[in-house]
Amino acid sequence: MISNQILQSTIDGVKNITSKDYAVLDTDGIVLATTTNSADEYVKQTIEFVESEMEAEYNGPCNMYKIFDGGQLEFVLLAFNEGQDTTAGKIIAFQISGLLVAYKERFDKDNFIKNLILDNMLLVDIYNRAKKLHIDIEGRRVVMIVKFESERDGDEFDKVRGIFTAKNKDFVTAVDETSIIVVKDMGEKGTYQDVEKTAKVIIETFKDKKYDVRVSYGTIVSELKEVSRSYKEAGMALDVGKIFFGEKEIIAYSVLGIGRLIYQLPIPLCKMFIKEIFEGKSPDQFDEETLMTINKFFENSLNVSETSRQLYIHRNTLVYRLDKLQKSTGLDLRVFEDAITFKIALMVVKYMDYMESQEF
């Protein structure tokens, strides 16, 4: 449904041109938008006009026009002091009628996209409704999710939509209060680098607000029916990114790596794995110095010399720490297989801690 704000903006604009007053009422006589205080005096007359069979009424001080949406009466336009020249009133009524059609189409498309990404439609329904709404069945698209972790002002949706207004094949919608979903048209040559650039534009849009905003995206799909898959991938990227890539504002499904596999493991299996590897201990129980050494060693691809240099310690000190860790865990991080096991264990513990925090 068209908003009262749009109705008000429309009649304000016409008043600036004609210097006459206008008002829009619903079929119950409730004033939705007005440029004058006189509208309330015509409530009873408006209701009588609604119940009549006339589509327009010219009575001097206030002319009335019925505005229909698909054959159903939606609004009544009051044009004050219009006199015999009814051109402006008829134009406004026609314009509002056109806005109703446009907003209804937008609403229908928005509804369609929501049901599409949530996988609430049969394949035949997807094709039939897409055809009616003039949405291409085939075409390269990707789903992006804009997630707001902090308090919002309320205009975020319009800001995100404004980024994509130049391309009418992009869709912007929302399925909850914390996320905005973009189904981006990629054209024939769009790449993941283009998606990344768009994500950066979204992040920059909210920098001045100091929002905690994250953007995730799925893989590019080639058919409309696959959009729901890209949405699920973007959702997983958001969750996995929060666990394993907390420092990143933009996260793609394609870079989740082993984190994606760990995220799909049942917690009992994770606990069994940690118990088998560390005999009941947990790698997150190590002191801060040990954990810093381990992380830096992994960052430098198991290079002892580079790690000791970045930690500002002697090479022998680092070797001593690694030997000590080997004695307590049975894993030698200088051996690739042991290093992989330890790295996965750290990620599993991180995942378990996150899932445990979600239960409260």
Side-chain angles (χ1 to χ4, degrees), residues 258 262 273-274 276-278 283 298 302 329-333 335-349:
I258 197 170
I262 293 174
F273 172 72
I274 296 299
E276 288 177 357
I277 299 299
F278 298 106
F298 284 139
L302 314 184
T329 64
L331 297 173
D332 185 354
L333 298 193
V335 177
F336 181 74
E337 186 176 342
D338 286 357
I340 288 294
T341 301
F342 202 99
K343 178 66 174 178
I344 292 174
L346 287 177
M347 294 180 70
V348 168
V349 169

PDB file of all heavy atoms in Angstrom, residues 258 262 273-274 276-278 283 298 302 329-333 335-349:
ATOM      1  N   ILE A 258      37.601 -24.535   5.695  1.00  0.00           N
ATOM      2  CA  ILE A 258      37.285 -25.611   6.631  1.00  0.00           C
ATOM      3  C   ILE A 258      36.280 -25.169   7.695  1.00  0.00           C
ATOM      4  O   ILE A 258      35.596 -25.990   8.301  1.00  0.00           O
ATOM      5  CB  ILE A 258      38.578 -26.135   7.281  1.00  0.00           C
ATOM      6  CG1 ILE A 258      38.323 -27.496   7.920  1.00  0.00           C
ATOM      7  CG2 ILE A 258      39.119 -25.135   8.304  1.00  0.00           C
ATOM      8  CD1 ILE A 258      39.593 -28.186   8.362  1.00  0.00           C
ATOM      9  N   ILE A 262      33.310 -27.361   9.697  1.00  0.00           N
ATOM     10  CA  ILE A 262      33.194 -27.439  11.158  1.00  0.00           C
ATOM     11  C   ILE A 262      31.828 -26.945  11.611  1.00  0.00           C
ATOM     12  O   ILE A 262      31.222 -27.507  12.523  1.00  0.00           O
ATOM     13  CB  ILE A 262      34.320 -26.609  11.815  1.00  0.00           C
ATOM     14  CG1 ILE A 262      35.680 -27.263  11.524  1.00  0.00           C
ATOM     15  CG2 ILE A 262      34.106 -26.474  13.327  1.00  0.00           C
ATOM     16  CD1 ILE A 262      36.866 -26.451  11.991  1.00  0.00           C
ATOM     17  N   PHE A 273      35.901 -35.358  19.465  1.00  0.00           N
ATOM     18  CA  PHE A 273      37.154 -35.063  18.773  1.00  0.00           C
ATOM     19  C   PHE A 273      38.161 -34.406  19.721  1.00  0.00           C
ATOM     20  O   PHE A 273      39.325 -34.811  19.799  1.00  0.00           O
ATOM     21  CB  PHE A 273      36.869 -34.156  17.569  1.00  0.00           C
ATOM     22  CG  PHE A 273      38.100 -33.629  16.894  1.00  0.00           C
ATOM     23  CD1 PHE A 273      38.909 -34.462  16.128  1.00  0.00           C
ATOM     24  CD2 PHE A 273      38.460 -32.293  17.024  1.00  0.00           C
ATOM     25  CE1 PHE A 273      40.054 -33.967  15.506  1.00  0.00           C
ATOM     26  CE2 PHE A 273      39.597 -31.790  16.410  1.00  0.00           C
ATOM     27  CZ  PHE A 273      40.396 -32.638  15.641  1.00  0.00           C
ATOM     28  N   ILE A 274      37.709 -33.393  20.457  1.00  0.00           N
ATOM     29  CA  ILE A 274      38.590 -32.683  21.394  1.00  0.00           C
ATOM     30  C   ILE A 274      39.090 -33.620  22.489  1.00  0.00           C
ATOM     31  O   ILE A 274      40.268 -33.585  22.882  1.00  0.00           O
ATOM     32  CB  ILE A 274      37.852 -31.475  22.016  1.00  0.00           C
ATOM     33  CG1 ILE A 274      37.510 -30.445  20.931  1.00  0.00           C
ATOM     34  CG2 ILE A 274      38.697 -30.833  23.107  1.00  0.00           C
ATOM     35  CD1 ILE A 274      38.707 -29.873  20.213  1.00  0.00           C
ATOM     36  N   GLU A 276      39.493 -36.872  22.282  1.00  0.00           N
ATOM     37  CA  GLU A 276      40.444 -37.830  21.717  1.00  0.00           C
ATOM     38  C   GLU A 276      41.814 -37.185  21.483  1.00  0.00           C
ATOM     39  O   GLU A 276      42.857 -37.803  21.737  1.00  0.00           O
ATOM     40  CB  GLU A 276      39.909 -38.376  20.397  1.00  0.00           C
ATOM     41  CG  GLU A 276      38.737 -39.330  20.556  1.00  0.00           C
ATOM     42  CD  GLU A 276      38.204 -39.791  19.207  1.00  0.00           C
ATOM     43  OE1 GLU A 276      38.720 -39.324  18.166  1.00  0.00           O
ATOM     44  OE2 GLU A 276      37.263 -40.612  19.199  1.00  0.00           O
ATOM     45  N   ILE A 277      41.809 -35.953  21.028  1.00  0.00           N
ATOM     46  CA  ILE A 277      43.074 -35.278  20.696  1.00  0.00           C
ATOM     47  C   ILE A 277      43.821 -34.819  21.936  1.00  0.00           C
ATOM     48  O   ILE A 277      45.034 -34.994  22.068  1.00  0.00           O
ATOM     49  CB  ILE A 277      42.824 -34.079  19.754  1.00  0.00           C
ATOM     50  CG1 ILE A 277      42.195 -34.549  18.434  1.00  0.00           C
ATOM     51  CG2 ILE A 277      44.116 -33.323  19.483  1.00  0.00           C
ATOM     52  CD1 ILE A 277      43.051 -35.508  17.643  1.00  0.00           C
ATOM     53  N   PHE A 278      43.104 -34.235  22.875  1.00  0.00           N
ATOM     54  CA  PHE A 278      43.755 -33.610  24.029  1.00  0.00           C
ATOM     55  C   PHE A 278      43.486 -34.321  25.356  1.00  0.00           C
ATOM     56  O   PHE A 278      43.791 -33.773  26.419  1.00  0.00           O
ATOM     57  CB  PHE A 278      43.313 -32.147  24.143  1.00  0.00           C
ATOM     58  CG  PHE A 278      43.708 -31.313  22.961  1.00  0.00           C
ATOM     59  CD1 PHE A 278      42.782 -30.902  22.023  1.00  0.00           C
ATOM     60  CD2 PHE A 278      45.034 -30.947  22.777  1.00  0.00           C
ATOM     61  CE1 PHE A 278      43.148 -30.142  20.933  1.00  0.00           C
ATOM     62  CE2 PHE A 278      45.418 -30.179  21.686  1.00  0.00           C
ATOM     63  CZ  PHE A 278      44.476 -29.780  20.762  1.00  0.00           C
ATOM     64  N   PRO A 283      42.318 -26.815  24.170  1.00  0.00           N
ATOM     65  CA  PRO A 283      43.386 -25.912  23.742  1.00  0.00           C
ATOM     66  C   PRO A 283      43.179 -24.463  24.170  1.00  0.00           C
ATOM     67  O   PRO A 283      44.128 -23.696  24.219  1.00  0.00           O
ATOM     68  CB  PRO A 283      43.373 -26.045  22.213  1.00  0.00           C
ATOM     69  CG  PRO A 283      42.066 -26.640  21.872  1.00  0.00           C
ATOM     70  CD  PRO A 283      41.665 -27.474  23.030  1.00  0.00           C
ATOM     71  N   PHE A 298      51.282 -20.234  13.198  1.00  0.00           N
ATOM     72  CA  PHE A 298      50.387 -20.569  12.084  1.00  0.00           C
ATOM     73  C   PHE A 298      50.365 -19.447  11.049  1.00  0.00           C
ATOM     74  O   PHE A 298      50.338 -19.704   9.840  1.00  0.00           O
ATOM     75  CB  PHE A 298      48.967 -20.836  12.585  1.00  0.00           C
ATOM     76  CG  PHE A 298      48.806 -22.180  13.260  1.00  0.00           C
ATOM     77  CD1 PHE A 298      48.048 -22.306  14.417  1.00  0.00           C
ATOM     78  CD2 PHE A 298      49.412 -23.308  12.750  1.00  0.00           C
ATOM     79  CE1 PHE A 298      47.898 -23.539  15.038  1.00  0.00           C
ATOM     80  CE2 PHE A 298      49.273 -24.545  13.355  1.00  0.00           C
ATOM     81  CZ  PHE A 298      48.509 -24.659  14.511  1.00  0.00           C
ATOM     82  N   LEU A 302      54.296 -22.013   9.755  1.00  0.00           N
ATOM     83  CA  LEU A 302      55.166 -22.919  10.499  1.00  0.00           C
ATOM     84  C   LEU A 302      56.645 -22.589  10.324  1.00  0.00           C
ATOM     85  O   LEU A 302      57.502 -23.462  10.477  1.00  0.00           O
ATOM     86  CB  LEU A 302      54.900 -24.386  10.100  1.00  0.00           C
ATOM     87  CG  LEU A 302      53.431 -24.826  10.022  1.00  0.00           C
ATOM     88  CD1 LEU A 302      53.353 -26.320   9.713  1.00  0.00           C
ATOM     89  CD2 LEU A 302      52.685 -24.509  11.292  1.00  0.00           C
ATOM     90  N   THR A 329      50.679 -31.949  24.846  1.00  0.00           N
ATOM     91  CA  THR A 329      49.577 -32.334  23.949  1.00  0.00           C
ATOM     92  C   THR A 329      49.894 -33.551  23.089  1.00  0.00           C
ATOM     93  O   THR A 329      48.982 -34.166  22.535  1.00  0.00           O
ATOM     94  CB  THR A 329      49.228 -31.166  23.002  1.00  0.00           C
ATOM     95  OG1 THR A 329      50.352 -30.889  22.157  1.00  0.00           O
ATOM     96  CG2 THR A 329      48.847 -29.924  23.788  1.00  0.00           C
ATOM     97  N   GLY A 330      51.178 -33.854  22.936  1.00  0.00           N
ATOM     98  CA  GLY A 330      51.553 -34.953  22.050  1.00  0.00           C
ATOM     99  C   GLY A 330      51.603 -34.539  20.596  1.00  0.00           C
ATOM    100  O   GLY A 330      51.779 -35.377  19.711  1.00  0.00           O
ATOM    101  N   LEU A 331      51.453 -33.232  20.342  1.00  0.00           N
ATOM    102  CA  LEU A 331      51.445 -32.734  18.964  1.00  0.00           C
ATOM    103  C   LEU A 331      52.631 -31.790  18.751  1.00  0.00           C
ATOM    104  O   LEU A 331      52.830 -30.852  19.520  1.00  0.00           O
ATOM    105  CB  LEU A 331      50.139 -31.980  18.670  1.00  0.00           C
ATOM    106  CG  LEU A 331      48.847 -32.814  18.741  1.00  0.00           C
ATOM    107  CD1 LEU A 331      47.630 -31.900  18.595  1.00  0.00           C
ATOM    108  CD2 LEU A 331      48.835 -33.886  17.655  1.00  0.00           C
ATOM    109  N   ASP A 332      53.390 -32.081  17.710  1.00  0.00           N
ATOM    110  CA  ASP A 332      54.532 -31.242  17.360  1.00  0.00           C
ATOM    111  C   ASP A 332      54.121 -30.321  16.211  1.00  0.00           C
ATOM    112  O   ASP A 332      53.938 -30.777  15.077  1.00  0.00           O
ATOM    113  CB  ASP A 332      55.712 -32.115  16.934  1.00  0.00           C
ATOM    114  CG  ASP A 332      56.976 -31.314  16.665  1.00  0.00           C
ATOM    115  OD1 ASP A 332      56.902 -30.058  16.710  1.00  0.00           O
ATOM    116  OD2 ASP A 332      58.026 -31.928  16.414  1.00  0.00           O
ATOM    117  N   LEU A 333      53.963 -29.029  16.497  1.00  0.00           N
ATOM    118  CA  LEU A 333      53.463 -28.098  15.485  1.00  0.00           C
ATOM    119  C   LEU A 333      54.426 -27.909  14.324  1.00  0.00           C
ATOM    120  O   LEU A 333      54.057 -27.325  13.307  1.00  0.00           O
ATOM    121  CB  LEU A 333      53.155 -26.741  16.127  1.00  0.00           C
ATOM    122  CG  LEU A 333      52.075 -26.728  17.216  1.00  0.00           C
ATOM    123  CD1 LEU A 333      51.662 -25.299  17.523  1.00  0.00           C
ATOM    124  CD2 LEU A 333      50.863 -27.540  16.800  1.00  0.00           C
ATOM    125  N   VAL A 335      55.531 -30.379  12.705  1.00  0.00           N
ATOM    126  CA  VAL A 335      55.127 -31.454  11.786  1.00  0.00           C
ATOM    127  C   VAL A 335      53.780 -31.066  11.185  1.00  0.00           C
ATOM    128  O   VAL A 335      52.830 -30.775  11.922  1.00  0.00           O
ATOM    129  CB  VAL A 335      55.013 -32.809  12.527  1.00  0.00           C
ATOM    130  CG1 VAL A 335      54.511 -33.888  11.575  1.00  0.00           C
ATOM    131  CG2 VAL A 335      56.352 -33.179  13.136  1.00  0.00           C
ATOM    132  N   PHE A 336      53.711 -31.048   9.873  1.00  0.00           N
ATOM    133  CA  PHE A 336      52.520 -30.536   9.186  1.00  0.00           C
ATOM    134  C   PHE A 336      51.232 -31.220   9.647  1.00  0.00           C
ATOM    135  O   PHE A 336      50.226 -30.553   9.920  1.00  0.00           O
ATOM    136  CB  PHE A 336      52.682 -30.706   7.670  1.00  0.00           C
ATOM    137  CG  PHE A 336      51.520 -30.179   6.876  1.00  0.00           C
ATOM    138  CD1 PHE A 336      51.331 -28.817   6.716  1.00  0.00           C
ATOM    139  CD2 PHE A 336      50.601 -31.060   6.312  1.00  0.00           C
ATOM    140  CE1 PHE A 336      50.245 -28.329   6.000  1.00  0.00           C
ATOM    141  CE2 PHE A 336      49.514 -30.580   5.594  1.00  0.00           C
ATOM    142  CZ  PHE A 336      49.342 -29.211   5.431  1.00  0.00           C
ATOM    143  N   GLU A 337      51.233 -32.533   9.741  1.00  0.00           N
ATOM    144  CA  GLU A 337      50.027 -33.264  10.124  1.00  0.00           C
ATOM    145  C   GLU A 337      49.558 -32.880  11.520  1.00  0.00           C
ATOM    146  O   GLU A 337      48.363 -32.663  11.760  1.00  0.00           O
ATOM    147  CB  GLU A 337      50.286 -34.775  10.057  1.00  0.00           C
ATOM    148  CG  GLU A 337      49.029 -35.607  10.298  1.00  0.00           C
ATOM    149  CD  GLU A 337      49.280 -37.093  10.121  1.00  0.00           C
ATOM    150  OE1 GLU A 337      50.297 -37.466   9.488  1.00  0.00           O
ATOM    151  OE2 GLU A 337      48.465 -37.887  10.623  1.00  0.00           O
ATOM    152  N   ASP A 338      50.499 -32.754  12.454  1.00  0.00           N
ATOM    153  CA  ASP A 338      50.147 -32.350  13.814  1.00  0.00           C
ATOM    154  C   ASP A 338      49.651 -30.909  13.843  1.00  0.00           C
ATOM    155  O   ASP A 338      48.733 -30.563  14.600  1.00  0.00           O
ATOM    156  CB  ASP A 338      51.357 -32.493  14.740  1.00  0.00           C
ATOM    157  CG  ASP A 338      51.669 -33.949  15.078  1.00  0.00           C
ATOM    158  OD1 ASP A 338      50.895 -34.820  14.635  1.00  0.00           O
ATOM    159  OD2 ASP A 338      52.670 -34.205  15.773  1.00  0.00           O
ATOM    160  N   ALA A 339      50.265 -30.064  13.027  1.00  0.00           N
ATOM    161  CA  ALA A 339      49.854 -28.654  12.974  1.00  0.00           C
ATOM    162  C   ALA A 339      48.419 -28.522  12.468  1.00  0.00           C
ATOM    163  O   ALA A 339      47.624 -27.740  13.002  1.00  0.00           O
ATOM    164  CB  ALA A 339      50.805 -27.873  12.068  1.00  0.00           C
ATOM    165  N   ILE A 340      48.083 -29.313  11.440  1.00  0.00           N
ATOM    166  CA  ILE A 340      46.720 -29.295  10.900  1.00  0.00           C
ATOM    167  C   ILE A 340      45.724 -29.743  11.969  1.00  0.00           C
ATOM    168  O   ILE A 340      44.665 -29.135  12.157  1.00  0.00           O
ATOM    169  CB  ILE A 340      46.616 -30.200   9.655  1.00  0.00           C
ATOM    170  CG1 ILE A 340      47.339 -29.559   8.472  1.00  0.00           C
ATOM    171  CG2 ILE A 340      45.167 -30.468   9.300  1.00  0.00           C
ATOM    172  CD1 ILE A 340      46.695 -28.279   7.977  1.00  0.00           C
ATOM    173  N   THR A 341      46.068 -30.811  12.674  1.00  0.00           N
ATOM    174  CA  THR A 341      45.192 -31.324  13.732  1.00  0.00           C
ATOM    175  C   THR A 341      44.948 -30.269  14.800  1.00  0.00           C
ATOM    176  O   THR A 341      43.818 -30.054  15.259  1.00  0.00           O
ATOM    177  CB  THR A 341      45.802 -32.583  14.378  1.00  0.00           C
ATOM    178  OG1 THR A 341      45.999 -33.588  13.378  1.00  0.00           O
ATOM    179  CG2 THR A 341      44.894 -33.128  15.470  1.00  0.00           C
ATOM    180  N   PHE A 342      46.031 -29.597  15.196  1.00  0.00           N
ATOM    181  CA  PHE A 342      45.923 -28.587  16.240  1.00  0.00           C
ATOM    182  C   PHE A 342      45.096 -27.395  15.754  1.00  0.00           C
ATOM    183  O   PHE A 342      44.264 -26.859  16.495  1.00  0.00           O
ATOM    184  CB  PHE A 342      47.321 -28.117  16.654  1.00  0.00           C
ATOM    185  CG  PHE A 342      47.361 -27.504  18.016  1.00  0.00           C
ATOM    186  CD1 PHE A 342      47.771 -28.233  19.118  1.00  0.00           C
ATOM    187  CD2 PHE A 342      46.966 -26.183  18.213  1.00  0.00           C
ATOM    188  CE1 PHE A 342      47.804 -27.669  20.385  1.00  0.00           C
ATOM    189  CE2 PHE A 342      46.995 -25.608  19.468  1.00  0.00           C
ATOM    190  CZ  PHE A 342      47.413 -26.357  20.560  1.00  0.00           C
ATOM    191  N   LYS A 343      45.326 -26.974  14.522  1.00  0.00           N
ATOM    192  CA  LYS A 343      44.587 -25.844  13.955  1.00  0.00           C
ATOM    193  C   LYS A 343      43.094 -26.139  13.913  1.00  0.00           C
ATOM    194  O   LYS A 343      42.261 -25.304  14.287  1.00  0.00           O
ATOM    195  CB  LYS A 343      45.112 -25.536  12.554  1.00  0.00           C
ATOM    196  CG  LYS A 343      44.398 -24.402  11.834  1.00  0.00           C
ATOM    197  CD  LYS A 343      44.618 -23.079  12.518  1.00  0.00           C
ATOM    198  CE  LYS A 343      44.015 -21.939  11.710  1.00  0.00           C
ATOM    199  NZ  LYS A 343      44.169 -20.627  12.382  1.00  0.00           N
ATOM    200  N   ILE A 344      42.757 -27.340  13.464  1.00  0.00           N
ATOM    201  CA  ILE A 344      41.343 -27.727  13.407  1.00  0.00           C
ATOM    202  C   ILE A 344      40.749 -27.769  14.810  1.00  0.00           C
ATOM    203  O   ILE A 344      39.609 -27.328  15.030  1.00  0.00           O
ATOM    204  CB  ILE A 344      41.184 -29.102  12.711  1.00  0.00           C
ATOM    205  CG1 ILE A 344      41.554 -28.987  11.226  1.00  0.00           C
ATOM    206  CG2 ILE A 344      39.765 -29.624  12.859  1.00  0.00           C
ATOM    207  CD1 ILE A 344      41.576 -30.303  10.490  1.00  0.00           C
ATOM    208  N   ALA A 345      41.528 -28.273  15.755  1.00  0.00           N
ATOM    209  CA  ALA A 345      41.046 -28.349  17.138  1.00  0.00           C
ATOM    210  C   ALA A 345      40.732 -26.960  17.690  1.00  0.00           C
ATOM    211  O   ALA A 345      39.714 -26.755  18.359  1.00  0.00           O
ATOM    212  CB  ALA A 345      42.088 -29.039  18.018  1.00  0.00           C
ATOM    213  N   LEU A 346      41.596 -25.990  17.408  1.00  0.00           N
ATOM    214  CA  LEU A 346      41.349 -24.619  17.846  1.00  0.00           C
ATOM    215  C   LEU A 346      40.052 -24.069  17.250  1.00  0.00           C
ATOM    216  O   LEU A 346      39.263 -23.407  17.933  1.00  0.00           O
ATOM    217  CB  LEU A 346      42.513 -23.720  17.451  1.00  0.00           C
ATOM    218  CG  LEU A 346      43.825 -23.870  18.234  1.00  0.00           C
ATOM    219  CD1 LEU A 346      44.886 -22.946  17.641  1.00  0.00           C
ATOM    220  CD2 LEU A 346      43.620 -23.555  19.708  1.00  0.00           C
ATOM    221  N   MET A 347      39.816 -24.373  15.985  1.00  0.00           N
ATOM    222  CA  MET A 347      38.602 -23.898  15.315  1.00  0.00           C
ATOM    223  C   MET A 347      37.369 -24.599  15.874  1.00  0.00           C
ATOM    224  O   MET A 347      36.317 -23.973  16.040  1.00  0.00           O
ATOM    225  CB  MET A 347      38.716 -24.124  13.804  1.00  0.00           C
ATOM    226  CG  MET A 347      39.806 -23.297  13.142  1.00  0.00           C
ATOM    227  SD  MET A 347      39.935 -23.583  11.348  1.00  0.00           S
ATOM    228  CE  MET A 347      38.407 -22.818  10.782  1.00  0.00           C
ATOM    229  N   VAL A 348      37.501 -25.892  16.173  1.00  0.00           N
ATOM    230  CA  VAL A 348      36.372 -26.645  16.741  1.00  0.00           C
ATOM    231  C   VAL A 348      35.989 -26.079  18.105  1.00  0.00           C
ATOM    232  O   VAL A 348      34.811 -25.896  18.418  1.00  0.00           O
ATOM    233  CB  VAL A 348      36.719 -28.147  16.861  1.00  0.00           C
ATOM    234  CG1 VAL A 348      35.679 -28.872  17.704  1.00  0.00           C
ATOM    235  CG2 VAL A 348      36.793 -28.774  15.471  1.00  0.00           C
ATOM    236  N   VAL A 349      36.988 -25.769  18.917  1.00  0.00           N
ATOM    237  CA  VAL A 349      36.721 -25.197  20.241  1.00  0.00           C
ATOM    238  C   VAL A 349      36.041 -23.833  20.098  1.00  0.00           C
ATOM    239  O   VAL A 349      35.109 -23.505  20.841  1.00  0.00           O
ATOM    240  CB  VAL A 349      38.031 -25.071  21.045  1.00  0.00           C
ATOM    241  CG1 VAL A 349      37.806 -24.233  22.305  1.00  0.00           C
ATOM    242  CG2 VAL A 349      38.544 -26.437  21.416  1.00  0.00           C
TER     243      VAL A 349
END
